Amino acid sequence: MASKINVNGFFRDTSGLPRMEELRKSHLANAPADPDTDDFIRRLAERLHPKNMRFQVVSIIESSDYTRVYRLVPMDGHIPVFQCGQYMNLRLKIGNSVLTRPYTISSAPFEARGDNPFVEIAVHHKKGDFVPDYLFKKFKVGDTLDGSMPFGNFYWEPLRDSRNIVAIAGGSGITPFYSMAKEVASGRMKGCKLTILYGSAKSDDIMLKDELEQLSSTCWDIKIVHVLSDEPGWPGKRGLIGQEMIKRYSSKGCTYMFCGSFAMYGHVLNALSELEIPARRFRHAVIGSPSDVSILPGYPKEKSGKTFQITVVRGARQDSIHASAHETVAVALERAAIPIDTHCRNGECGFCRSQLVSGEIFVSPVGDGRREADKETGGFHPCSSWPLSDLKIKIPIM
Ligand code: FES
């Protein structure tokens, strides 16, 4: 049913607030005990953020020796609206463990509309990558997998950001910008110019190389600059993406967007601060913590190599597991086949929020999304916290 809002003027409208409160109270008092499953708002929320989706793999493209692009179509045909830079969360059962992993959607929003809608994720795999290894070995065309979408706050916003975008990417951090490049090339980000500075170690680490070159060769508004740090014979730009290079490709008032590793983030942040770029012009994706937590500032080095016991309370159930000082509490839970719902995996989204009953943790300085009240009452995020002693924690039941 369409609703109408009458604007009567500031004073009359604000004086109406007490009446609204009365109205709300009477609605609450007369509300049925059971939730209205046919409620419009509830249905809309479910369309925009479905809790569980089942996807079918409809194609797998070998983009390079180490990269595969999985094209996914939801079994019910509905793809919620998303923005370039947002991610989907895959839910995978590996052995006894249920793992959740975020993957940036590498296809463009316009490809999720029309007659043959789909989403894609680009997965990079090198030896020892646990989840990519599983995806590469396990999934074939026709298989199904579970997940949900969309999540994340890393996207270009026309009211806030400039139409001149300098994207700085490292490794698999190229995926949000690939999605954006497709959207620009399709003419849907009107007036936007996208320059991508893409850092990789070696040429065979470059993801979506041909696809990006295809886009930049057909669209004047897209420029891609490859920068390799570890290949002396590379004919293009070599070294790290620093102040000089960022300056060379910047334009007045441009917006900088970054997606890459923890180490690269520090480097880029320094370069931007040397260039005196105000924080409002810099946006970054979730920064993953380094694989070696001991390099994070403030980490007590004497804890390295230790093992601790974690008592895990889930409702009436209590388990005891072991955790190494070098793994997050979330990883220790997953290894012990105790399900924990994670999305961003770096303290930003709050999905894994749990309770620290006793013990001491180290919280990543780039992934500390705790509210002040959490800090006082023991709320913490297992995805961005490492044990520093034996712990007792309470986690939500999944
Ligand atoms: S998964 Fe997002 S805060 Fe832990």
Side-chain angles (χ1 to χ4, degrees), residues 342-352 381 383:
T342 64
H343 286 208
C344 71
R345 296 187 76 80
N346 203 35
E348 189 189 72
C349 69
F351 270 92
C352 69
H381 299 125
C383 66

Side-chain angles (χ1 to χ4, degrees), residues 254-271:
C254 65
T255 289
Y256 299 90
M257 300 185 78
F258 171 77
C259 187
S261 67
F262 173 81
M264 191 176 175
Y265 171 67
H267 190 71
V268 167
L269 208 55
N270 281 341

